[in-house]
Amino acid sequence: MATIDVFSYDVPAESDFGYSQAIRSDELIHVSGQLSFDEAGGLLHPGDFAAQLEQTYANMDRILDHYGATRRQIVSQTLYLVNLRQNAAATMEGNLRYFGDHRPASTVVGISELALPDQVVEISFVVDTKLPA
């Protein structure tokens, strides 16, 4: 039988939309789209792509820490970007800085808007804890 562990920040959006930030099923951790928010669920750095990207990566690390996982165990990610072409270079730089020489599968999707006003980036990802940390 699978072991399941759900992680939540207990922010209003989780109960309003009926989701968790992450769910672990045996060795895989599926993580909902992370964004630049504070512990109360408020958006940080409205409209500032580079700052939102950095905070989003920091929030990804909070989930990894919860599960005792590392960036090297991320096997795939999906990035949702407002103004894809305008933010492509900053995305590439941030991604390389975050992952170093690790190369997860990656999909980048340009979109017209995200859930919150002035939100410009969101990243969901999958972690395989069987991989070396």
Side-chain angles (χ1 to χ4, degrees), residues 88-108:
T91 301
M92 289 185 285
E93 291 168 12
N95 199 59
L96 289 170
R97 198 169 40 255
Y98 183 75
F99 286 108
D101 64 353
H102 179 60
R103 298 289 182 262
S106 184
T107 300
V108 179

Side-chain angles (χ1 to χ4, degrees), residues 1 4 12-13 16 37 52 54 60 63-64 67 69 85 87 89 98 107-108 114 116 118 123 127 131-132:
M1 181 157 245
I4 295 176
D16 292 347
F37 60 86
Q52 282 192 30
E54 288 302 313
M60 290 169 62
I63 292 174
L64 291 170
Y67 289 106
R85 287 183 182 86
N87 294 313
Y98 183 75
T107 300
V108 179
L114 287 161
L116 301 176
D118 298 316
I123 304 173
V127 178
L131 294 176

Side-chain angles (χ1 to χ4, degrees), residues 2-10 14-15 18-26 28-32 63 66-67:
T3 302
I4 295 176
D5 178 17
V6 174
F7 175 78
S8 293
Y9 291 123
D10 295 321
E14 293 169 349
S15 59
Y19 76 99
S20 61
Q21 296 296 326
I23 186 167
R24 180 180 185 157
S25 177
D26 289 331
L28 292 180
I29 304 166
H30 297 270
V31 182
S32 296
I63 292 174
H66 170 79
Y67 289 106

